Amino acid sequence: MQVLSVTPEIFPLIKTGGLADVTGALPIALAAKGVIMRTLIPGFPSVMAAIKKKKPVLQYPLLQGGKASVQAVRLAGLDLFVLDAPHLYDRPGGPYGNPSGADWPDNWRRFAALSQVGGDIAGGAIARYQPDIVHAHDWQSAMTLAYMRYGRAVAVPSMMTVHNLAFQGQFGAGIFGELELPAAAMALDGVEYYGGVGFLKAGLQAAWAITTVSPTYAQEIRSPEFGMGLDGLINMRSNDLHGIVNGIDTDIWNPETDKHLVSGFTAATLEARAPNRAAVEERFNLDRDESPIVCVVSRLTWQKGMDILATVVDGIVGSGVRLAVLGAGDAGLEGSLLAAAARHRGRIGVVVGYDEGLSHIMQGGCDAIVIPSRFEPCGLTQLYGLRYGCVPVVARTGGLADTVIDANEAALSAGVATGFHFAPNNAGALLHAMRRLVDAYNAPTVWQALQRQGMRAEVSWDKSAEKYIELYRSLLSRRVS
Ligand code: ADP
């Protein structure tokens, strides 16, 4: 089975969030089960820099305003088609915005181009390569499925995975003329969305199957609260909607062999976490004592509930924990967390920025990780936490609810608890969860049981890769019949 994955991000080449971890890990998990996944990505500077020898397999004299080509390369163990289009992607800053963080005004063009090429490849544009299935991720590649539907690949089964419904790629109707789609596509059951053009909406409409990254989120997005304007369409397509929880790359995230750690450890050698803990204390200027260190590794945004955390930091410190925060995002939230750190020297440390290595040390050295997301399609940091004995404290929503088992009396006595849930998601409930955490931490046998049970939890891609394959197979059988 040959699957073409189309995505704006893939770890380790280009990453802003969990999407990259998923698109980077899935091909490897699938390969182990005999499914070949090739991935089409934009030729961002970091990607082009990694290509030693260009090998064009498709050329465009003119693609959305400039010359472009598709390079077939193998990088970091991944089979890639890289869309080399300097007029669209050779820019400073992140994948979506300029160095000061503002979105590029022509993002619609940049990702329509990616999708157009995805549609072309699906339709057989590359010699000796015909994918059996096309799998698109998020709004940036969602239009691939529209280009397939209105082009030459209408018979190729397609899957749309929603990693976060909050990002929809919604643009004015004025761009439609430049998308090179037939006029009929500008319709209610096509790409039209609230009078404009909706990229994710178009993908959801055209996809043979829709998946999202946890069963609970798959249910939640059917409600107006989580559906963000798309709940009507999602309900209409509910027969084709599936929730498959993300796994993690258990080779990269292996506490025994992780090169980022000061000291490797296993569930049998939890005491070997101590040097990592000391490294966290040092890096975050925390007091050296025996109180638990709770960490945050997150985008600092409203979705992640960082404003809720910011309002309750004084109470958290009062409950006896130390807080280590690594994150970047909203300037206001960065500022209020830095102010909290200044107010509580030794009890709160904040590093503003993105630091992959430090995130590993935190998971391997802190006692717990708090994730107060307002909504969380899946979430990965709680899975890293489980694997590293860093007990997750999570808002009971989306994938957080699906992957962490609350340490209530029943779960504790059954020996299955792996963390703490809180609901509703507000300051009072978060603080209450912190107090529960401190109580458990002060009972070492309970605490170590939580850590060990978490470390035993199934967080690899194995089962989820099977589920994707099952779905791919069911789509293929629909094609035949
Ligand atoms: P999202 O994709 O919504 O940001 P996820 O939990 O799915 O949330 O994935 C976030 C990913 O980004 C994880 O791999 C996490 O470790 C990483 N991450 C987030 N913020 C930082 C940061 N400041 N430094 C290092 N890694 C980070």
Side-chain angles (χ1 to χ4, degrees), residues 15-19 21 164 253 297-299 303-304 326-328 353-356 359 363 376 378-382 384:
K15 166 171 168 175
T16 70
L19 164 66
D21 290 325
N164 193 334
W253 291 92
V297 179
S298 181
R299 291 187 285 120
Q303 180 207 330
K304 298 292 179 181
L326 169 64
Y354 191 95
D355 189 333
E356 191 83 25
S359 77
Q363 297 278 11
E376 193 57 81
C378 179
L380 293 174
T381 55
Q382 82 280 13
Y384 302 141

Side-chain angles (χ1 to χ4, degrees), residues 82-338:
V82 177
L83 176 54
D84 184 12
H87 65 294
L88 299 173
Y89 307 127
D90 186 13
R91 302 179 188 180
Y96 315 121
N98 66 22
S100 36
D103 280 353
W104 293 110
D106 61 345
N107 270 347
W108 64 269
R109 189 187 291 287
R110 301 171 77 223
F111 295 106
L114 178 72
S115 300
Q116 252 176 311
V117 173
D120 288 346
I121 298 176
I126 293 179
R128 292 184 302 281
Y129 180 72
Q130 177 58 56
D132 299 304
I133 291 182
V134 174
H135 187 164
H137 300 270
D138 280 357
W139 74 265
Q140 297 93 332
S141 62
M143 287 291 279
T144 302
L145 309 192
Y147 284 107
M148 289 168 65
R149 173 178 165 197
Y150 295 106
R152 281 183 302 153
V154 69
V156 178
S158 61
M159 186 183 287
M160 179 77 237
T161 295
V162 180
H163 296 264
N164 193 334
L165 202 61
F167 305 114
Q168 301 188 350
Q170 192 176 354
F171 304 101
I175 70 162
F176 180 75
E178 300 199 51
L179 295 177
E180 298 172 34
L181 283 166
M186 190 60 178
L188 214 61
D189 71 347
V191 307
E192 192 275 337
Y193 187 49
Y194 291 106
V197 174
F199 279 26
L200 181 62
K201 183 266 179 173
L204 292 173
Q205 193 85 56
W208 288 35
I210 298 168
T211 71
T212 185
V213 287
S214 68
T216 294
Y217 191 61
Q219 280 306 314
E220 286 172 342
I221 59 176
R222 299 179 62 178
S223 70
E225 189 192 347
F226 292 89
M228 304 195 165
L230 284 165
D231 41 298
L233 170 55
I234 288 166
N235 275 309
M236 223 165 66
R237 302 230 42 203
S238 60
N239 286 341
D240 299 310
L241 174 66
H242 308 265
I244 303 178
V245 86
N246 288 333
I248 62 173
D249 187 322
T250 48
D251 290 330
I252 293 172
W253 291 92
N254 180 346
E256 204 174 351
T257 56
D258 188 333
K259 294 277 180 290
H260 294 295
L261 295 183
V262 181
S263 164
F265 60 94
T266 67
T269 58
L270 287 172
E271 66 287 350
R273 297 179 90 252
N276 303 318
R277 199 168 192 268
V280 170
E281 286 170 337
E282 164 129 18
R283 184 76 173 79
F284 288 85
N285 286 319
L286 295 174
D287 295 339
R288 274 64 165 169
D289 63 31
E290 292 308 310
S291 63
I293 305 178
V294 177
C295 70
V296 171
V297 179
S298 181
R299 291 187 285 120
L300 302 180
T301 63
W302 181 89
Q303 180 207 330
K304 298 292 179 181
M306 287 297 132
D307 54 319
I308 302 171
L309 184 88
T311 60
V312 84
V313 279
D314 297 328
I316 291 177
V317 169
S319 71
V321 309
R322 291 169 290 164
L323 202 56
V325 180
L326 169 64
D330 294 352
L333 288 171
E334 290 178 4
S336 67
L337 289 167
L338 285 167

